[in-house]
Amino acid sequence: MSKYHKGSKIFVTEVVIKVMDLNRAVEFYKSIMGFKVLRKKEKKVVMTVDGINPIVTLIRPDDIVPKEHRRTGLYHFAILLPTRKDLGKFIKNIREKGYPIVGGSNHGVSEALYLQDPEDNGIEVYADTPDRNWERTLIGVKMITEPMDYRGLIELAGDDVWQGAPDGTILGHMHLHVSNLDESLNFYSALGFKLVQAMMDQAYFVSTGGYHHHIGFNIWNGKGAPPPPEDSAGMKYFTLKFPDEDTRKEKINNLKEQGYVMIEKNNKLFTRDPSKNLIKLIV
Ligand SMILES: [Fe+2]
């Protein structure tokens, strides 16, 4: 398990997505992402890697409407594989199945492949490089964007076959469309995150414990972009996990002091960032 996703860190664990076609989505998350079904109801399928914890939950609301462009919401959620070799196996599998890849990059801190699920939700699948090789900067960690070494990754996989997401696969980070970078930074700072990199006033990356980022947010859908309608297809919420109840309380108080509102539903606590991205706060 990544040291940046346990202990005293605050990190993401799960994403819930509203989909138009539940069966098609489940098939994709099984055959391409390699997840397993943990629980299944008529309009809700919880998917897992370890057989215990949800990683992606797919729901089919009755009143769902198609996704609109130029809105805040999900840019991508990012699935962190345990090793570089696992990423090689993932690439071999997706190529063999003929599923389209949108792009791939070497970010220095990680190697990352990008794709869209059948309903155009962005997904990154990545492996971190050893953190002793990360270039630390005054504020955080340097990330670059260079071509991905597909050949090296596939060679590393060798004759090994992808047999689903391996043990230790987790939700590594979230990347969101927001309407205002600095407002978003204030909000995520109140939750305990630190700015690690700012990309030319286009995107900010924040983390806890020195990770390259647990959350990224950008204004690529336009400064001041409106939130999606409540019933829109796309992300419903993602989950942030706190190390203990005291820390969660402290961060919730920070948010309340800044005028943010907590939403309680079925004994679960949620809040919305300034761009209306819904977040579940768990311990
Ligand atoms: Fe990302």
Side-chain angles (χ1 to χ4, degrees):
M1 171 69 79
S2 153
K3 72 179 185 192
Y4 297 106
H5 299 82
K6 64 179 177 187
S8 61
K9 321 298 185 302
I10 302 168
F11 52 91
V12 296
T13 61
E14 183 196 354
V15 62
V16 177
I17 300 173
K18 295 171 280 184
V19 296
M20 312 282 293
D21 185 335
L22 188 57
N23 289 338
R24 181 179 62 174
V26 170
E27 187 49 40
F28 166 82
Y29 283 94
K30 282 204 281 198
S31 72
I32 300 298
M33 299 306 293
F35 300 159
K36 295 171 284 208
V37 173
L38 180 64
R39 287 189 290 275
K40 190 173 180 179
K41 286 190 204 161
E42 195 193 342
K43 289 177 179 172
K44 178 177 177 179
V45 177
V46 182
M47 309 215 69
T48 184
V49 171
D50 61 8
I52 301 165
N53 298 296
I55 187 163
V56 172
T57 294
L58 304 162
I59 56 172
R60 195 344 178 149
D62 289 332
D63 42 9
I64 193 165
V65 295
K67 203 185 289 183
E68 292 175 17
H69 295 292
R70 309 288 291 173
R71 300 288 183 143
T72 62
L74 180 71
Y75 175 54
H76 60 238
F77 65 86
I79 300 299
L80 174 57
L81 298 174
T83 68
R84 189 166 192 259
K85 186 174 183 179
D86 294 319
L87 185 58
K89 291 192 309 196
F90 181 87
I91 293 170
K92 265 178 58 182
N93 180 62
I94 195 169
R95 283 196 169 178
E96 276 160 21
K97 296 220 162 91
Y99 195 85
I101 294 171
V102 177
S105 297
N106 175 359
H107 293 298
V109 296
S110 64
E111 290 172 285
L113 191 79
Y114 298 92
L115 55 148
Q116 301 290 120
D117 84 357
E119 301 202 5
D120 211 26
N121 295 296
I123 304 176
E124 173 181 338
V125 179
Y126 74 114
D128 279 333
T129 55
D131 61 0
R132 62 179 176 276
N133 298 335
W134 296 358
E135 194 180 327
R136 302 280 175 182
T137 63
L138 273 180
I139 64 160
V141 185
K142 185 176 173 187
M143 287 184 272
I144 53 170
T145 298
E146 287 183 355
M148 176 113 125
D149 176 17
Y150 288 101
R151 186 187 288 179
L153 284 157
I154 288 166
E155 274 175 15
L156 183 64
D159 293 330
D160 282 14
V161 176
W162 172 258
Q163 292 185 320
D167 278 352
T169 299
I170 56 171
L171 184 64
H173 69 260
M174 295 293 301
H175 195 145
L176 309 166
H177 287 297
V178 298
S179 56
N180 182 300
L181 288 177
D182 289 321
E183 260 179 36
S184 305
L185 181 58
N186 282 342
F187 174 85
Y188 288 103
S189 300
L191 273 173
F193 291 92
K194 266 191 63 186
L195 182 69
V196 264
Q197 191 181 158
M199 207 173 111
M200 292 181 293
D201 293 332
Q202 293 289 309
Y204 286 176
F205 300 89
V206 299
S207 79
T208 60
Y211 193 43
H212 56 71
H213 63 298
H214 290 107
I215 300 174
F217 40 91
N218 69 65
I219 48 164
W220 297 329
N221 270 356
K223 209 172 174 180
E230 184 65 32
D231 305 330
S232 170
M235 183 177 73
K236 184 173 174 70
Y237 67 82
F238 68 95
T239 297
L240 274 184
K241 186 172 167 63
F242 294 87
D244 50 58
E245 188 55 47
D246 283 351
T247 310
R248 183 171 74 156
K249 269 190 190 146
E250 178 199 325
K251 305 307 179 197
I252 286 172
N253 283 337
N254 287 347
L255 288 182
K256 283 180 178 167
E257 272 171 24
Q258 295 202 21
Y260 292 105
V261 176
M262 291 297 132
I263 305 155
E264 213 178 320
K265 206 178 166 192
N266 304 329
N267 282 328
K268 309 281 193 309
L269 271 179
F270 296 83
T271 190
R272 287 188 185 276
D273 80 3
S275 306
K276 302 280 179 278
N277 293 306
L278 187 62
I279 307 164
K280 187 176 172 185
L281 307 172
I282 66 166
V283 172

